Amino acid sequence: MGPRTAEAVLAYTDEVERFARGKEYCAYFGLTPRLDESGQVRRLGHISKEGPSVCRWLLVESAWQVVRRVPAFKVFYERVRHGQAGRKKIAIVAVARKLVSVMRAMLLTGRRLTRPWCCSRSRRW
């Protein structure tokens, strides 16, 4: 992720402390799925596309670069994709959401990401 993407995310975020949970932070950028409920049926659909579209676009483009350059994110991408070519966009949005979660954690803790602990199965934000 480059400095311009980070600047855009920070500019739209203002203060990260105003988001109580990581899901709220990801939902702010429109990277969470829509929920359709009717009776006993619960369906998760396309992403909500709420919030700044410029940031969402920058995050998805950054996710493509991260998948190419960081092996831990490549493993996460392949795990979500399940080897199906039709799930590329679903997987890349999942990587973008993971990037936003990592950025939130870095902003809250004040630490840099130095190792790929962000993509282990046991770690959830």
Side-chain angles (χ1 to χ4, degrees):
M1 179 175 301
R4 299 295 173 242
T5 303
E7 285 176 0
V9 170
L10 287 174
Y12 280 104
T13 299
D14 195 29
E15 292 181 14
V16 74
E17 292 83 16
R18 68 186 173 129
F19 301 99
R21 299 181 306 147
K23 287 183 180 183
E24 291 176 11
Y25 193 60
C26 292
Y28 178 75
F29 291 105
L31 294 171
T32 55
R34 276 186 196 248
L35 177 64
D36 293 329
E37 285 185 309
S38 176
Q40 299 295 322
V41 178
R42 182 175 184 238
R43 180 185 174 278
L44 295 175
H46 298 283
I47 61 173
S48 63
K49 295 187 180 178
E50 297 290 327
S53 61
V54 172
C55 279
R56 195 168 40 257
W57 173 73
L58 287 169
L59 288 165
V60 169
E61 291 299 319
S62 295
W64 282 115
Q65 294 301 315
V66 167
V67 165
R68 289 187 190 119
R69 295 183 174 139
V70 181
F73 279 98
K74 174 75 171 178
V75 169
F76 177 73
Y77 170 79
E78 293 296 334
R79 191 170 69 225
V80 173
R81 201 180 105 186
H82 299 298
Q84 300 172 9
R87 291 182 55 94
K88 285 191 311 188
K89 291 181 182 178
I90 294 169
I92 206 65
V93 169
V95 171
R97 184 172 189 266
K98 178 74 77 172
L99 277 175
V100 170
S101 297
V102 169
M103 288 180 66
R104 178 181 178 270
M106 289 170 54
L107 288 169
L108 288 175
T109 62
R111 296 186 331 193
R112 293 184 62 194
L113 177 65
T114 56
R115 56 189 168 92
W117 48 264
C118 60
C119 295
S120 67
R121 285 184 181 211
S122 61
R123 181 106 178 149
R124 300 196 105 198
W125 296 344

